């Protein structure tokens, strides 16, 4: 418990702008017979953080917005896919504190940029929305991959007399205006919150499963587990990168977070567990398996997942239970990282998949 208290104290020392409702609920599955037998399964409802449609990005933005305000910024600039929950949460956070937001939405073939789902909500939150078409093989996780599209937007804001803060996608990598992995700090805090909830309920936590995209969420969870709960496995289901790439990104961000918190520890290969088995056919691409996984949870528990992140992660967790990677006697927490507004632009594909 000393390590938990120490970690919490170090996180509390970081500048933070309160944006979300926390702690989020820890909800036990009511009908376990509908799922692979044996595991004690609960859902950490970070889809209920309360900022716009909720989601994990709100935790990250509490630290990022505080940093932007400390730097005298009046505008948040960021980028993401067309149905990016990160962009929506950034727009909502900016509205919450009276800042301007500009979101650059990168449209790949087959991904509609219609005013639906998160795109509609970007507009409702008052963001300036710029849609840019990119090639199907172009990456977007690192600033260097999209600098030619994003940095001119920052310069335009400066030319207009504003003070922009360039927040990296997902709030994960220390780039743009962000000099440290502040987003990962939000998820180190999330695991502290989860462990405190579990202790109050006399609940053992063995494995935490979540969707892993820009690696900041997983890095924060891994750091907190390393310091405060080394017995807890953090399992990331990749939705963007191959497993080797994701593991490297997690280790890199985790090392920077440890430096930020002034903690002498090292994240090794065995600390980072990632699966890319559910990655294909690509980021944001719907499959019948994902549609059925979303429907199964909605019909048994009344909990709605999204097709980009949590649907894939839930499908992956079910498979890991079936395969025995997650043992029948484990206590498992699934982190619902939000993004549910992205469900609606996929409605035609989901209905076709469910009709088969």
């Amino acid at each position: 418990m000393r390590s938990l208290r120490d970690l919490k104290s170090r996180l509390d020392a970081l500048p933070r702008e309160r944006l979300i409702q926390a702690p989020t609920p820890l909800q036990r599955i009511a009908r376990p017979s509908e799922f692979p037998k044996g595991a004690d399964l609960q859902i950490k409802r970070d889809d209920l953080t309360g900022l716009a449609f909720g989601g994990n990005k709100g935790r990250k933005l509490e630290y990022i917005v505080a940093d932007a305000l400390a730097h005298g910024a009046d505008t948040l600039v960021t980028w993401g896919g067309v149905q990016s929950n990160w962009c929506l949460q950034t727009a909502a956070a900016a509205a919450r504190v009276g800042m301007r937001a500009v979101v650059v939405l990168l449209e790949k073939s087959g991904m509609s940029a219609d005013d639906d789902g998160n795109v509609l909500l970007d507009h409702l939150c008052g963001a300036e929305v710029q849609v840019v078409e990119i090639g199907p093989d172009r990456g977007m996780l690192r600033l260097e991959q999209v600098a030619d599209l994003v940095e001119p937007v920052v310069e335009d804001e400066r030319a207009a007399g504003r003070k922009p803060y360039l927040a990296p996608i997902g709030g994960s990598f220390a780039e743009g205006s962000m000099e440290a992995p502040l987003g990962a700090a939000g998820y180190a805090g999330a695991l502290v919150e989860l462990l405190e909830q579990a202790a109050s309920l006399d609940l053992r936590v063995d494995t935490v499963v979540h969707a892993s995209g820009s690696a900041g969420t997983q890095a924060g969870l891994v750091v907190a587990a390393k310091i405060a709960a080394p017995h807890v496995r953090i399992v990331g289901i990749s939705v963007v990168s191959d497993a080797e790439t994701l593991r490297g990104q997690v280790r890199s961000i985790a090392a920077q977070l440890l430096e930020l918190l002034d903690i002498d520890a090292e994240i090794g290969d065995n600390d980072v567990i990632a699966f890319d088995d559910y990655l294909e056919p690509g980021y944001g691409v719907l499959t019948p398996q994902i549609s059925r996984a979303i429907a199964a949870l909605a019909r048994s528990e009344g909990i709605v997942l999204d097709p980009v992140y949590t649907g894939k992660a839930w499908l992956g967790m079910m498979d890991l239970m079936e395969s025995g990677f997650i043992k029948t006697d484990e206590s498992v927490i699934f982190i619902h990282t939000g993004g549910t507004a992205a469900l609606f632009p996929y409605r035609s594909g989901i209905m076709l998949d469910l009709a088969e």
Side-chain angles (χ1 to χ4, degrees):
M1 290 301 292
R2 174 177 295 180
S3 294
L4 181 62
R5 287 194 297 269
D6 179 59
L7 177 59
K8 186 175 182 181
S9 175
R10 292 170 188 266
L11 289 166
D12 287 345
L14 298 177
R16 184 178 178 188
E17 185 74 20
R18 301 287 179 171
L19 298 172
I20 69 168
Q21 302 296 315
T24 55
L26 188 58
Q27 183 174 340
R28 186 183 296 276
I29 289 294
R31 298 172 61 194
S33 62
E34 299 294 319
F35 304 100
K37 294 181 179 180
D40 179 9
L41 177 59
Q42 303 202 36
I43 301 179
K44 176 69 168 163
R45 297 294 304 273
D46 268 15
D47 57 319
L48 302 179
T49 50
L51 188 67
F53 264 57
N56 64 327
K57 309 305 192 298
R59 291 188 187 271
K60 300 181 174 189
L61 283 158
E62 290 196 326
Y63 294 95
I64 295 167
V65 168
D67 190 52
L69 293 172
H71 282 79
D74 57 18
T75 302
L76 293 177
V77 178
T78 196
W79 73 94
V82 290
Q83 284 299 326
S84 169
N85 189 51
W86 160 250
C87 286
L88 167 61
Q89 293 281 288
T90 301
R96 182 75 173 268
V97 299
M99 298 178 74
R100 170 178 163 82
V102 183
V103 297
V104 181
L105 303 183
L106 306 178
E107 180 185 11
K108 294 188 177 184
S109 177
M111 299 180 71
S112 172
D114 292 343
D115 295 335
D116 195 359
N118 281 322
V119 182
L120 171 62
L121 295 169
D122 291 336
H123 287 289
L124 288 179
C125 287
E128 178 182 321
V129 177
Q130 300 188 18
V131 180
V132 180
E133 291 187 14
I134 62 173
D137 298 324
R138 184 168 183 172
M140 66 175 76
L141 280 185
R142 300 306 301 265
L143 177 57
E144 63 185 20
Q145 296 172 308
V146 296
D148 60 316
L149 305 177
V150 176
E151 289 181 348
V153 176
V154 175
E155 292 306 314
D156 287 346
E157 290 299 303
R158 290 197 181 108
R162 291 184 279 266
K163 298 178 180 178
Y165 182 101
L166 180 56
I169 185 171
S172 295
F173 296 102
E175 55 188 20
S177 301
M178 202 170 77
E179 298 175 353
L182 298 175
Y187 262 81
L191 190 66
V192 169
E193 178 182 300
L194 172 58
L195 293 171
E196 290 180 334
Q197 286 177 304
S200 70
L201 298 169
D202 196 25
L203 172 69
R204 190 182 80 249
V205 179
D206 296 314
T207 299
V208 174
V209 182
H210 67 101
S212 197
S214 58
T217 295
Q218 187 164 0
L221 293 169
V222 166
V223 164
K226 183 76 171 184
I227 301 307
H231 62 284
V232 175
R233 289 194 304 180
I234 306 298
V235 178
I237 306 297
S238 179
V239 300
V240 179
S241 307
D242 64 85
E244 182 178 358
T245 298
L246 177 58
R247 285 192 289 266
Q249 292 168 342
V250 170
R251 287 194 298 271
S252 175
I253 295 169
Q256 292 176 316
L257 178 58
L258 288 165
E259 182 178 355
L260 174 66
L261 298 174
D262 193 23
I263 295 175
D264 184 14
E266 184 175 343
I267 302 300
D269 292 347
N270 294 335
D271 296 316
V272 184
I273 303 171
F275 290 90
D276 58 10
D277 306 64
Y278 316 96
L279 187 58
E280 296 300 333
Y283 175 78
V285 180
L286 185 69
T287 67
Q289 293 84 359
I290 295 170
S291 295
R292 288 194 286 270
I294 292 171
L297 185 62
R299 291 170 181 179
S300 67
E301 301 291 324
I303 297 174
V304 181
L305 303 172
D306 83 289
V308 181
Y309 284 84
T310 55
K312 282 189 175 182
W314 185 267
L315 175 64
M317 183 178 67
M318 293 295 105
D319 279 357
L320 293 176
M321 289 180 174
E322 292 279 12
S323 71
F325 178 85
I326 296 176
K327 307 300 182 186
T328 58
D329 59 349
E330 288 187 49
S331 177
V332 182
I333 310 294
F334 178 83
I335 300 182
H336 190 327
T337 50
T340 46
L343 185 71
F344 301 103
Y346 288 84
R347 57 187 173 272
S348 296
I350 290 171
M351 294 305 294
L352 284 173
D353 288 341
L354 297 182
E356 292 180 354

